Amino acid sequence: MDGKKPLLSVRGLEVSYGAIKALLGVDLDVYEGEIVSVIGANGAGKSTLMNAIMGDVARQAGEVSLDGKPLSSKSFQVVHQGVSLSPEGRKVFAPLTVEENLMMGAFPRQDRLEIHRTLAHVFELFPRLEERRQQYAGTLSGGEQQMLAIGRALMSTPRVLLLDEPSLGLAPIVIKDIFKELKTINEGGMTILLVEQNARQALMLSHRAYVLQTGRVIMEGPSKELLANPEVEAAYLGTGHH
Amino acid sequence: EETVKIGYLAALTGDWAAYGQTEKNTAQLAVDEINAKGGIDGRKVELVVYDFRGRQEDAVNAVRRLLEEDKVSAIVGANASGINIATAALVNRAEVPQIGTVSTNPMVTVDRKGKVRPYSFRICFTDPYQGKLIAWFAAKELGKTKAAVLYDIASDYAQGLREFFIKSFEEYGGETVADEAFKGAQDVDFRAQLTKIREAGADVLVLPNMGKEMALIMKQARELGMDDLVFVGGDGYAEFMWEIAGKSMENSYWINHVSPSDPNMAKFFEDYEAKYNDECKEFVNGILGYDAMYWLFDAIDRADSTDSVKIAQALADTKDLQLHHATITMDEFHNPLNKDGIVLIAKDGKGQFFKKIKPE
Amino acid sequence: MATLIQQIINGLSLGSIYALIAVGYSLVYSILMFSNFAHGGFLIIGGYLCYFALNSAGFNIWVAGFGALIGAGFAAVATERLTYKPIRERTSVTLYLLIASMGMNIVIENIFVIVAGGRFRALPPVIPTTPVHLFGNATTSALDLISLVTAFVFLGGLQLFLTKTKWGLAIRAAACDLRVAGLMGVNTSKLISIVFFVAGLLAAVGGIFLSVRYTLYPQLGMITIKAFVAAVIGGLGSLPGAVVGSLILGLSEMLTAGFLSSQLRDLVVFSLLVITLIVRPTGLFGKDVKEKV
Amino acid sequence: MSAYAEGIFILLLINAIAAMGVSLLTGFTGIFTLGHAAYLALGSYTTAILTLDYGIAWLPAVLAGGIVAMVVGYLIGLPTLKLMGDYYAIASIGLAESIRLILENWQSLTNGARGLAGIDTFTTLPVALSFFIVMAIVAFCLINGRFGRSLKACRDDHVAAALLGFDVAKIRVASLSISALYCGLAGGLYAGFISFIQPMMFDMLKSTEMTAVVVFGGLGSMSGCILGTTVITMVTELFRPISQYRMLIYGLVLVLVMVLRPEGMMGQHEIGGLLKRLFRRGGDRS
Amino acid sequence: MTAILELDNLNKFFGGVHAVRDVSFSLEKGELAGLIGPNGAGKTTIFNLITGVYPLDSGHIVSNGKEINGLRTCDAVGLGIARTFQNLRLFKGSTVLENVMTAGQRHHRYSFLEAATHLGRWKKTEKTIRDEAMEYLEKVNLAKDADRMAGTLPYGHQRRLEIARALALRPELLLLDEPAAGMNPEEVQALNGLIVGIHKEFDLTILVIEHHMELVMEICPHVVCLNFGAVIAEGPPEEIQGNPEVLKAYLGEEVE
Ligand SMILES: Nc1ncnc2c1ncn2[C@@H]1O[C@H](COP(=O)(O)OP(=O)(O)OP(=O)(O)O)[C@@H](O)[C@H]1O
Ligand SMILES: Nc1ncnc2c1ncn2[C@@H]1O[C@H](COP(=O)(O)OP(=O)(O)OP(=O)(O)O)[C@@H](O)[C@H]1O
Ligand SMILES: [Mg+2]
Ligand SMILES: [Mg+2]
């Protein structure tokens, strides 16, 4: 990757919530076409990182840029710049229907026809959503809402897709499908930054990975190496049942 | 040299702000006039005005402040019975006289047992007296027999006037065919009540209310095609009503303390306009406030002292005192004795003097 | 019978004025989920702007009216930017917004007390108030018919906008979660400004109608309480609800005053409110999306 | 103390008692009311009528006022407290206006809009102060303990609270009743302070003021609501000489506090807690 | 052994959605059972039916031999039932400790008079409630956060707080809705230990909904699998893991 410019680059990012410092100078690069995963324990600051990239929480220090250009500090502009997020905890629009939620995802886009193509694609990915098209999102089951959140982020066809724990609350079979699908989407040209608790699967999917601990990057490298790293194994992968 | 401190309780904010501000202006006018003449017997007058927002607890504190901090010799205001009643205990304990401007409730000057409160006075009519005046006028002068009343249920003034009007009107042989209410601060639409009054076949509609409501009622009644109905109001007449109700006001009557076309008042209106660059539209409050000040000046003069007890005594002893709008004599209950009712008529776009009445 | 018809006409006419106010209030509620008590303030801003433009500046009604609408719209946007926005950005508790809006209402009211005096003023009859005879004996005024039509036109337009356009969808999404709407690429500040502009504009329309129909004074905003009650009966945040609620309220006020007792008019109105809410806790048209547990 | 200062102080204590009642309901139970002046009215009318017409001594009359307010609060709460958020707030406006209308219409008992005059001015400083101290102690005790926790639970999440075994409806009604009791007692004292009461004293402006004070001080903080009362009373009193601008300033203060410190002056904290923290920090340094 | 909970032909509709269809199974006292199934299969809904959050459309729920259909939510805990929530439902305006105390206080009484004056039993009882709450916090390893506001804890910790709060109710039957969601495998391991630990220590019957198979398969000797609202398999984990229907609907066919 040397010599190539990163697509998304984070430099010295600091964020705090009142007295609690959540990020203490994080550097991170995502190159075009990559899947990069971020792993770390509860409270390490992963979600904060994602939200700070989006401009959804205030960045106290540091820079975030896309393709060399600084990313706005306002979340709606960040979306227009080509980054979208499937937030932790789903955050679907409860009183809107499934379809309206998805159409909201396509808000920055103008191309009607293309939007419907993307919609069809999302429905293909999550047939359950198509069945529930007219149901209020708030009454979906937890997993269904998660699917909706991912689908909604996809609807803006971003250059960089940020996923905060996409597998949260999903059935194993769906997780498998989603990871497979993420790979396909990625191969289709979308760059993905993934936060996962399911570290093993995330590492197996991604090209490179960062390990976050109490607001700092403590390790980074190709996913395969991290997967083999005994420290990482001990701290984040668990013994699993495989 | 000695100055006389007079407190003034005015509603400068809240629902009665329009009236309070006018009173404040006229009181100041009176003070400026007397000071220009060298004061009362050489004593300069100092006016301390406090707002009470139209609320009792505010008024109580304002009066406490006037009594304790400013140590005034007398207080003029407020323009509402409720406020005067609430502050009566304070001024009577402190032995400082207080003059209500348009506070018509009998309880302003007498307590529950009917005993006069030594330091409470008023310059206006009382409800029973004014109710009687209105009834007299409607029954005897206009010859009406079927009266309707539309009053503000949230207003003590309106409730009082209504009650005494109905009582007297029936004594004069009339019948009250409709007795309808509305809620003052909120209601602006009276068509339901008016429709009902139309059904009841009333020939006179008595409006014991404030200007805004009277104007709205008149306007809406005419809009409903009630062209023959005669309106009779109390002392709530104000010039601004013409802006609201316009032609609908024509040929209506008010039983008032004073007429705006009274030649004795011409100078007052001129001076007011010159000083404040504004017409004195809420003139009833304005003039009563103004004359209450002059009454007080006279009392201070007679008492020849700034001592509040002596001033109170002088106020109580007032006899045939020629003020601008009337000549007043205090009765034993500190009410002006048999004050003339000035009937106003709305004619040609303004309120004009119609006649003086005094019921038998 | 004639009386009944007359009272019904009276009620509809009162209701249509409530509706103009209730719709704007409901619109703001639907997006920020709080009762904007400053709505009454916007209303008097509209009324006074129109009054001064007509009387002091000598504009004709169209210019004055237009100016008042725009002015009130901007005043609403300014209120939002200066007071609600900083609060919104700090906390999600809508109660704080509500208190701030009450504060703003007091501020606006008293600015006019100071600037214009507490006096009652009447707008010249720029909107015709000539009596119109309906069904023989019953009378109404041209203004009532105009206000009824205006209420429906504004409502219809808004309803179409909300359900049929992308920005309408964005408004509904923002109503549910502002931050996430931002994450969808919606410029929520702009969106909210638009909403407040429209609300201010509607309030000004109501203000002008009220000033012409009744009178103009700093406390005129009080009437918004009844409009709020109407909106709540109809279901908060629902625009058709706001209109239906307003008409019901207007009718029941007039019928009570006309056939039961004018003394108890408001008692009946408020009982209606409470009973409606006891039967349907979210009003007639309020969406009752049970939160999923 | 001058009688003027004393008057303000008494009023402040009375307002603070009412504010504690509102705080219990709005701050701790999360039910937003815009109609609590009604309970003040019930308390003061009961007290006035009992002392004037039935010659009952003031103390039992004030207590009876509190109890009447509490019973009415309970009866009102039963059907209406399932309403949420602004629905209850607007309904509470309606309920309060209805109570006021009844007071205005029930001439034989209440003398209508003309009010009841000549009430004994029994609310002296010692009386107001003793009531305040007792009521404040009870309020602080109640919120620090099981009752306070169950209120907060119902406020934060009614489903979870129900699953912890709390009968949410009952707790809300209990909270309203106690809050009405506070306001009723304050009302009785108020009658004994002003000596004259009229229905229009208990209008919506009064209700909103009562709630504003609580939010101003900090939702979920008892000391906050007392502080809030003090500041608001002082602000309105201090600016009396520039009277025209007084209400403008009052409104601005309200807006500014919400903008600069939306959580109110005290946030959720109590004075005691803050002092303790300050003390602890001081201790660390030494 | 007696059944602590028996579900008999439960049905629940949401409009057109048949969320729970003819579900029957029962839990023996002291069991640790798993409830699995694809997203939207109706697992959470079953919890909601048991705890009275939603009314039942048909069927019977029997707890300790007593039918509890139409139970009011607030009475569930009286029958010894406690639960956690898939979408966290903590008291965000209270501290971590208060959250647990709020649950624990039901076991300790003092009169209203004592509450209003802090006299009599108040002090001692409050201390007991607090100490007990701290013990539960220690159990879930949150004691150090006792004075933080509950809403500011990281997601994973909030889940554990919910467990502590449920435990403080001293239930017989504990329903856990995806307790491991948002945890990494290491933490899931720790949670495994926690659940097994409390199961033993408090002599609980536990029904746990989970999508982390390593958890369910390791600790639950009894697993029920739902699909489209209906039970498609029930049995010990090995059996479930091999069940072709479960594989197809839930686990995915090929296991790497
Ligand atoms: N709104 C908030 N207020 C205060 N502190 C917060 C807030 N949100 C997060 N934090 C704190 O910031 C730190 C980082 O939290 P963050 O949510 O980013 O962690 P995470 O790595 O995403 O954890 P998890 O795996 O549980 O999702 C934690 O200590 C958390 O308690
Ligand atoms: N209140 C409701 N209104 C309408 N539909 C609902 C409601 N609650 C649940 N549903 C529907 O019922 C079905 C079952 O939902 P439930 O939450 O029980 O699923 P679940 O098995 O817990 O799924 P997950 O593992 O994703 O949490 C879902 O399809 C959901 O959309
Ligand atoms: Mg996270
Ligand atoms: Mg679920």
Side-chain angles (χ1 to χ4, degrees), chain D residues 17-27 31 33 36 179 183 210-211 214:
Chain D
I17 294 174
M20 286 191 284
V22 177
S23 176
L24 199 69
L25 187 73
T26 301
I31 300 167
T33 163
H36 254 49
S179 135
C183 291
M210 290 167 74
T211 303
V214 169

Side-chain angles (χ1 to χ4, degrees), chain A residues 44-196:
Chain A
K46 307 179 295 295
S47 304
T48 307
L49 172 64
M50 300 296 252
N51 292 334
I53 294 176
M54 288 305 293
D56 195 38
V57 301
R59 310 168 192 144
Q60 257 102 27
E63 278 157 34
V64 183
S65 59
L66 183 75
D67 229 356
K69 276 181 261 137
L71 268 186
S72 164
S73 59
K74 298 212 167 77
S75 58
F76 76 94
Q77 278 168 347
V78 173
V79 179
H80 284 270
Q81 283 171 308
V83 183
S84 76
L85 168 71
S86 157
E88 179 180 52
R90 303 147 198 160
K91 307 274 166 58
V92 294
F93 298 114
L96 302 190
T97 63
V98 168
E99 189 170 349
E100 285 173 332
N101 264 275
L102 292 172
M103 291 314 283
M104 271 312 292
F107 187 82
R109 296 172 60 184
Q110 306 298 341
D111 42 346
R112 282 195 150 224
L113 270 176
E114 283 300 309
I115 290 175
H116 280 99
R117 197 159 304 153
T118 320
L119 185 67
H121 181 213
V122 169
F123 281 151
E124 206 176 295
L125 187 57
F126 303 114
R128 180 48 77 91
L129 292 185
E130 187 162 20
E131 287 167 30
R132 297 288 151 91
R133 232 177 145 130
Q134 297 305 333
Q135 189 171 334
Y136 289 121
T139 63
L140 293 176
S141 84
E144 290 163 346
Q145 290 184 2
Q146 187 63 50
M147 299 174 200
L148 182 57
I150 299 172
R152 192 178 59 180
L154 283 174
M155 285 299 291
S156 68
T157 52
R159 291 183 72 188
V160 184
L161 175 66
L162 309 185
L163 297 167
D164 196 348
E165 304 202 21
S167 73
L168 188 93
L170 290 184
I173 187 170
V174 186
I175 299 182
K176 272 178 211 160
D177 283 353
I178 286 186
F179 276 77
K180 232 188 279 160
E181 189 56 34
L182 288 181
K183 204 174 174 84
T184 327
I185 294 172
N186 173 250
E187 281 159 7
M190 196 180 289
T191 309
I192 296 175
L193 178 60
L194 175 71
V195 163
E196 256 303 332

Side-chain angles (χ1 to χ4, degrees), chain B residues 14-15 151 180-181 186 188-189 191-193 195-196 199 212 216 219-220 223-224 240 243-244 278 282, chain C residues 3 6-7 10 13 119-120 122 139 144 212-215 217 219 226 254 257-258 262-263 265-266:
Chain B
D15 280 349
Y151 69 101
E180 299 296 321
Q186 287 161 16
V188 284
D189 200 300
R191 283 173 287 173
Q193 293 92 321
T195 305
K196 216 167 148 188
E199 290 312 296
K212 179 191 72 175
L216 287 173
K219 178 176 167 199
Q220 287 167 24
E223 269 172 27
L224 284 171
F240 71 78
E243 281 187 46
I244 300 173
D278 190 15
E282 293 78 12
Chain C
T3 327
Q6 180 69 56
Q7 296 291 24
N10 295 345
S13 126
R119 177 170 292 170
F120 306 104
T139 325
D144 295 328
V212 175
R213 175 125 222 19
Y214 308 114
T215 169
Y217 56 104
Q219 291 82 25
K226 284 279 178 65
M254 290 302 188
S262 53
Q263 278 86 346
R265 162 169 162 176
D266 281 11

